[in-house]
Amino acid sequence: PNFEVVVVDNDSQDGSLEEARLNFSKASFIKNSQNLGYAAGNNLGIRFALERMADYILLLNNDVEVESDFLSQMIEIAEKNKKTGIIGSVIFNHKNREIWYAGGKISWWRMKTYHEQKIKKADNFQTGFITGCSMLVKREVFKKIGLLDEDYFLYWEDADFSTRARKAGFEARIAAKSWVYHLEKSQEFLPEKIYWLVISGLLFYRKNSPFWIKPWIF
C-alpha cells in the first residue's frame, strides 16, 4: 500500500505527458528535453526515488499492464530473501498470454541472452538476469554498485546491472506470482530495435566477459 509513482518522459511529442498529468495527479513527473535513452532516463527517476528514501525502486516499462498484486508479490519475496537484491516478475505476451519471460540466461559463448518460458513450481527462484521490463531493486544495491550504466542507450543495461549486482554478492530472483503483460511496442520499430540490440550487446560482452573467454569475444 505504501508506494509512489514516478513517470520519466523522454521528450515525448504526442501529448501523452499532458494527458497523464491530467489523469494521474498523484504521480510525480520528470520531463526531459531530449530522449536520453533507457538507462539515463531511468536513472533520473532512480535518483529522485533515492532522495525520497525509497527502500525499493521498481523499474517498469510503459508498454505493460499488471496484476493488482504484482508489486506486493515481489516485495514479499524480497523481504523473505535477504541476499536477494533484484526481483523480477513473470511476464506474459499481452496478445496470446504465452510466457514471454520467466527468468533469463546469459550465453557467453553465443553472445546472447535467453528468456526462460516456463514457471517453476517454487514461489521464487534464482535467475541469471532480470529484465528491465519489470525490475524491483533494493536500495542497498544502488548504494553498492551504482545506477544503470549510461553507456547503454537502449537494451542490455538490465543484463549489465544484474551481472554487476551478482558480482557484488546479490542474488536475482523471480517472484513466480508477480504477473505482468507486455505489449512489446518495440516490435513496431524493428530496424531500430535490431540496431540497438547489436550495438549494446557488443558493449555488454566487452565490459563483462570473464577473462577466460575474452579472446573469443574479441
Side-chain angles (χ1 to χ4, degrees):
N2 181 22
F3 71 93
E4 295 181 37
V5 175
V6 181
V7 179
V8 180
D9 182 278
N10 259 342
D11 194 31
S12 66
Q13 303 292 328
D14 58 359
S16 56
L17 174 65
E18 292 71 23
E19 185 179 352
R21 277 178 165 157
L22 284 173
N23 288 288
F24 302 97
S25 58
K26 292 183 179 179
S28 299
F29 292 88
I30 299 173
K31 167 71 172 173
N32 294 332
S33 58
Q34 59 180 313
N35 184 356
L36 301 178
Y38 183 91
N42 270 290
N43 281 345
L44 287 172
I46 293 167
R47 290 189 188 96
F48 179 89
L50 289 173
E51 288 170 2
R52 295 176 69 83
M53 303 305 293
D55 296 313
Y56 296 90
I57 297 173
L58 172 75
L59 306 186
L60 191 68
N61 276 13
N62 63 316
D63 60 343
V64 299
E65 292 178 357
V66 301
E67 295 287 350
S68 59
D69 65 344
F70 92 108
L71 181 55
S72 59
Q73 292 287 348
M74 298 170 88
I75 296 292
E76 183 179 333
I77 300 304
E79 292 287 306
K80 189 188 298 184
N81 299 277
K82 298 305 178 185
K83 288 185 178 180
T84 300
I86 313 176
I87 302 90
S89 305
V90 174
I91 302 172
F92 296 84
N93 185 301
H94 188 271
K95 289 182 180 178
N96 56 26
R97 291 304 199 258
E98 291 180 353
I99 295 175
W100 180 79
Y101 169 90
K105 291 182 179 179
I106 297 170
S107 172
W108 300 102
W109 287 109
R110 296 188 177 185
M111 296 179 68
K112 290 182 178 180
T113 57
Y114 294 94
H115 286 190
E116 302 279 3
Q117 294 180 314
K118 288 185 179 179
I119 304 177
K120 297 180 182 179
K121 290 183 179 179
D123 66 348
N124 73 95
F125 46 90
Q126 284 196 59
T127 189
F129 74 94
I130 303 293
T131 174
C133 183
S134 176
M135 172 191 280
L136 182 73
V137 185
K138 289 181 178 177
R139 177 185 183 87
E140 49 263 39
V141 178
F142 291 117
K143 289 177 70 175
K144 191 166 185 178
I145 71 170
L147 308 187
L148 299 178
D149 187 339
E150 296 184 9
D151 286 348
Y152 301 91
F153 182 80
L154 189 60
Y155 302 123
W156 288 89
E157 63 291 297
D158 47 8
D160 178 273
F161 188 79
S162 298
T163 301
R164 287 190 286 129
R166 191 189 70 249
K167 289 178 180 177
F170 296 101
E171 294 176 352
R173 289 184 175 272
I174 300 295
K177 296 179 182 178
S178 173
W179 290 8
V180 170
Y181 305 93
H182 191 199
L183 279 79
E184 277 246 70
K185 289 289 186 179
S186 60
Q187 291 296 110
E188 297 174 9
F189 308 97
L190 198 55
E192 289 181 42
K193 179 177 182 176
I194 293 171
Y195 172 82
W196 287 113
L197 279 171
V198 173
I199 293 295
S200 298
L202 292 171
L203 182 61
F204 171 83
Y205 285 97
R206 191 178 73 183
K207 283 175 175 277
N208 295 291
S209 295
F211 73 91
W212 49 268
I213 203 174
K214 280 190 180 292
W216 168 255
I217 298 297
F218 178 78

